[in-house]
Amino acid sequence: MTESRITAPPAAGPERLTLSWDSCVSRALVHRNAVAEVLLTDARALPDGRFLLAAQWPRSYATSGTGSDERHDPMLAAETIRQVGLYICQRFLGAPSTSRPVIRSVGFLLDNSAEPVVGYGATDVLCRAEVYDMRHVDDVPWPVALSVRMECSAAGREFGSAFGRMRVLSEEEYETFRGPYAGADPVRDEVHWRPSPTEVSVPSPGDVMLVRNPSGALLVAPADLRHPRFFDHPSDHVPGMVLLEAARQAACLAGASPGRLSGCHLRALRFTEWNAPVHVECGPAEDAWAFQVTQGGDTTASGTLTFATKG
């Protein structure tokens, strides 16, 4: 991963005391339908394009180990930066609620030895974020593109960083850009063979994102199109978080398991549609695993995954 870490105030201190973890932010500002899927609880703007945000990682999203060794699903880091970018863009930078943000890239890097242990309730996470590389156009008061990077800490201990870039389209621009796909619904492919939850390191059959066709190729085909995390609301394209999780599961099948995910970087080159098979390939590349998502012979997304040697 090439993203640099940011310089920010200490994880604990007076600034932290101005944040609240008592209730979640408006679900509309992070594009969630269910309150239970909202991770952010508060935010404060600081000088020079920096922000402090409070998040809670729910106990229900726990993986890797049992008892005192249980930790949160690493993919919560990707979902947190997604919500942070959406919230900052609308709450502080003026993008209207009707805007249609499109994720261009997302990634994170975790220190597996410093990750918070899941306790009796949710884990309070402090996010120190910075907005940069904003792009503006005439007659549009909000940025039409921006990047966000952040560092995360819990109980005063820093444990990870994340980054993302998004394009912010108006509702009219989105509908024009998407054309006939703007109202498309998911179409189920015929399921030939689906991995077991154990094979892809997920807790239940509904969490499996892959099938294998008769020729042996892996296809992105979520088992549950109403999955609370990945399909909290309808989408006219395959969500980036689904592609990222499918790539992680493909890495498990290729031999990365039982390593624990410690980092990732997904680059979305174009929309991945529902109306044609979506292929995903993943294999070792130096000190990481490289993945590629293709549809109709074209690459729609690609990136890398890194796994810790111990879970």
Side-chain angles (χ1 to χ4, degrees):
M1 293 172 60
T2 59
E3 295 289 330
S4 60
R5 298 166 72 83
I6 65 174
T7 301
E15 291 165 318
R16 186 185 191 281
L17 300 180
T18 66
L19 295 173
S20 171
W21 281 263
D22 288 342
S23 61
C24 65
V25 303
S26 169
R27 57 186 180 170
L29 294 180
V30 294
H31 291 196
R32 284 297 191 182
N33 279 346
V35 172
E37 300 303 317
V38 178
L39 301 181
L40 301 186
T41 63
D42 201 3
R44 296 288 184 273
L46 301 176
D48 304 324
R50 295 181 298 122
F51 303 86
L52 286 178
L53 301 102
Q56 276 203 336
W57 284 12
R59 179 184 181 184
S60 57
Y61 296 152
T63 63
S64 183
T66 57
S68 62
D69 293 330
E70 194 170 42
R71 286 173 288 174
H72 294 283
D73 185 343
M75 286 295 183
L76 280 173
E79 176 59 20
T80 301
I81 189 66
R82 188 193 75 84
Q83 293 192 18
V84 164
L86 293 173
Y87 187 80
I88 288 176
C89 193
Q90 295 177 84
R91 174 67 176 81
F92 297 107
L93 301 182
S97 59
T98 55
S99 62
R100 300 296 296 267
V102 177
I103 303 298
R104 303 303 302 271
S105 67
V106 64
F108 63 82
L109 181 64
L110 300 177
D111 179 351
N112 294 134
S113 66
E115 286 182 76
V117 173
V118 178
Y120 287 102
T123 298
D124 291 345
V125 177
L126 176 65
C127 305
R128 291 166 290 143
E130 180 182 29
V131 173
Y132 65 103
D133 197 16
M134 288 190 289
R135 184 164 66 87
H136 289 83
V137 298
D138 294 339
D139 301 324
V140 179
W142 59 86
V144 298
L146 67 150
S147 296
V148 183
R149 53 194 171 202
M150 72 177 188
E151 292 183 345
C152 297
S153 61
R157 187 179 187 185
E158 187 177 298
F159 66 87
S161 59
F163 64 91
R165 183 163 181 81
M166 68 175 65
R167 172 81 184 274
V168 185
L169 302 172
S170 68
E171 195 169 27
E172 294 76 14
E173 287 174 325
Y174 186 86
E175 291 178 355
T176 300
F177 184 71
R178 293 294 287 139
Y181 298 112
D185 293 320
V187 176
R188 286 188 178 274
D189 293 321
E190 181 182 352
V191 174
H192 302 285
W193 173 82
R194 190 178 294 278
S196 69
T198 301
E199 290 176 291
V200 293
S201 299
V202 295
S204 70
D207 297 308
V208 179
M209 298 289 161
L210 302 172
V211 297
R212 197 182 295 276
N213 67 13
S215 66
L218 285 176
L219 304 179
V220 180
D224 182 4
L225 291 175
R226 294 188 178 183
H227 193 288
R229 289 179 62 190
F230 297 103
F231 298 102
D232 168 79
H233 55 275
S235 177
D236 63 19
H237 60 277
V238 184
M241 292 295 292
V242 170
L243 298 178
L244 189 54
E245 174 61 14
R248 187 200 65 78
Q249 294 183 18
C252 288
L253 294 176
S257 185
R260 178 171 172 78
L261 187 68
S262 60
C264 71
H265 185 184
L266 177 142
R267 297 173 293 273
L269 305 179
R270 62 184 68 188
F271 286 97
T272 303
E273 309 293 355
W274 287 113
N275 65 343
V278 181
H279 294 257
V280 57
E281 297 180 350
C282 190
E286 298 182 357
D287 58 348
W289 290 73
F291 66 87
Q292 186 174 32
V293 179
T294 59
Q295 188 171 47
D298 296 323
T299 299
T300 64
S302 64
T304 57
L305 304 165
T306 56
F307 293 84
T309 55
K310 294 183 179 180

